[in-house]
Amino acid sequence: MDFGRLITAMVTPFNEQGEIHWEEAARLIDYLIADQKSEALVVSGTTGESPTLSDSEKVQLFEFAVKHAAGRCKIIAGTGSNNTAHSIHLTQEAERVGVDGVLLVVPYYNKPSQEGMFQHFEAIASSTKLPVMLYNVPGRTSACLSAATTLRLAQIPNIVATKECASLEHVTLVAAGAPDHFKVYTGDDASGLPAITVGAYGIVSVASHVVGSEMKQMIDSFVAGDTQKATRLHQQLFPVFKGLFECPQPLPNPVAVKYALTLRGINVGSVRLPLIAPTEDEQGFIRALFNE
């Protein structure tokens, strides 16, 4: 399975009542594919506010995205959690409705050992025929999947990729030791091009909601050997990469990008508690990022 080089971790649109806004979800999927050049979408990941989505909502989102994308891009379902049995159940539900792959986050809060993490991912992978992308994000989980454990998991045939948010060193180590079928993605927009230069295949992005077309040009330029153009695009996009998360102080994902989408006329609504909408000052900062 090749998920492509630019994957968008899609926000979940909500209406004024805080329910999933299905019409706007359809518009968003079309926009991300046609305008922002996403080759795959992660549905119900952290950017999609997965902690506040019920299982029923998640499965409905998976099925809706599969049907609406209709083969125009790959759909990756966020089915990971810190409960192995629950992750297996949700993964099997995602497989039932026809997704192309699943994203499995490192178990959070309970902080398992490396062997515990290996057995967790092995058990989920063995429960499905779907391709699996691992997701290592120590800043959110308080646990880090080591490069050695990642490479051990990469020997399992249907574990085909990882989304790496630890460090460039981690990306380098995994990319250097990975089997041919296993692809490394960075989940940090600001490190996107640097990660690709040390062996990453692509980016699982938040900023691609609003600058995806330019990011695709950056990646394609590097792959084609035009490193000067790729570097120039990275430098131009860097304020957006940083600003969407720093805004002007650290702002939880996806608060900023949801507001940025509304500036583009994509009415994805606000966020669910415990996240809250950006303040007026934060809104002004986001508008300035896009010269609005």
Side-chain angles (χ1 to χ4, degrees):
M1 173 62 67
D2 187 346
F3 295 121
R5 293 184 182 270
L6 182 64
I7 302 172
T8 297
M10 192 180 85
V11 304
T12 300
F14 297 129
N15 61 24
E16 292 182 357
Q17 291 73 44
E19 301 163 337
I20 296 174
H21 194 323
W22 296 106
E23 289 182 4
E24 209 60 28
R27 285 189 66 215
L28 178 62
I29 291 169
D30 292 339
Y31 164 81
L32 291 174
I33 296 170
D35 294 5
Q36 299 299 346
K37 311 305 179 187
S38 297
E39 297 169 275
L41 302 175
V42 173
V43 179
S44 182
T46 308
T47 307
E49 299 178 69
S50 58
T52 66
L53 295 173
S54 68
D55 278 5
S56 175
E57 288 176 318
K58 289 178 182 181
V59 176
Q60 288 179 72
L61 273 169
F62 301 157
E63 186 169 18
F64 181 87
V66 168
K67 289 181 178 178
H68 193 76
R72 292 175 293 161
C73 75
K74 299 293 192 293
I75 301 299
I76 304 168
T79 60
S81 73
N82 61 348
N83 178 328
T84 307
H86 181 235
S87 299
I88 288 172
H89 167 73
L90 199 54
T91 296
Q92 291 175 340
E93 285 294 287
E95 182 171 12
R96 179 182 61 81
V97 300
V99 303
D100 298 293
V102 293
L103 180 73
L104 302 179
V105 68
V106 165
Y108 40 86
Y109 192 76
N110 42 13
K111 300 176 72 171
S113 66
Q114 293 297 313
E115 180 60 27
M117 285 188 270
F118 176 84
Q119 291 190 28
H120 169 82
F121 290 121
E122 181 185 43
I124 303 169
S126 68
S127 76
T128 181
K129 295 180 180 178
L130 288 172
V132 170
M133 179 184 290
L134 308 172
Y135 179 17
N136 187 36
V137 56
R140 287 183 177 272
T141 63
S142 297
C144 184
L145 188 68
S146 71
T149 304
T150 303
L151 293 173
R152 187 179 168 203
L153 286 163
Q155 302 303 315
I156 297 172
N158 65 325
I159 298 183
V160 301
T162 186
K163 176 186 176 184
E164 182 55 62
C165 296
S167 65
L168 278 177
E169 177 182 347
H170 225 80
V171 169
T172 304
L173 290 171
V174 175
D180 290 342
H181 80 279
F182 189 83
K183 293 179 171 62
V184 180
Y185 293 83
T186 179
D188 177 14
D189 286 311
S191 299
L193 183 61
I196 291 170
T197 67
V198 298
Y201 183 75
I203 308 170
V204 180
S205 174
V206 174
S208 56
H209 282 90
V210 285
V211 290
S213 179
E214 295 92 332
M215 293 180 71
K216 187 66 164 55
Q217 289 180 48
M218 178 187 74
I219 297 168
D220 290 347
S221 296
F222 182 84
V223 172
D226 191 347
T227 57
Q228 288 187 333
K229 181 178 180 181
T231 300
R232 184 172 67 252
L233 286 165
H234 170 74
Q235 292 169 345
Q236 292 170 357
L237 294 168
F238 193 76
V240 174
F241 295 157
K242 297 295 285 185
L244 286 175
F245 290 90
E246 294 183 355
C247 184
Q249 58 187 2
L251 195 63
N253 178 37
V255 173
V257 75
K258 274 196 150 182
Y259 181 72
L261 280 165
T262 67
L263 299 176
R264 300 289 179 91
I266 310 295
N267 298 313
V268 294
S270 190
V271 288
R272 282 179 173 175
L273 286 170
L275 301 183
I276 59 173
T279 65
E280 288 188 11
D281 286 346
E282 290 164 344
Q283 290 178 19
F285 180 89
I286 298 165
R287 289 195 300 269
L289 281 177
F290 301 100
N291 299 313
E292 296 282 348

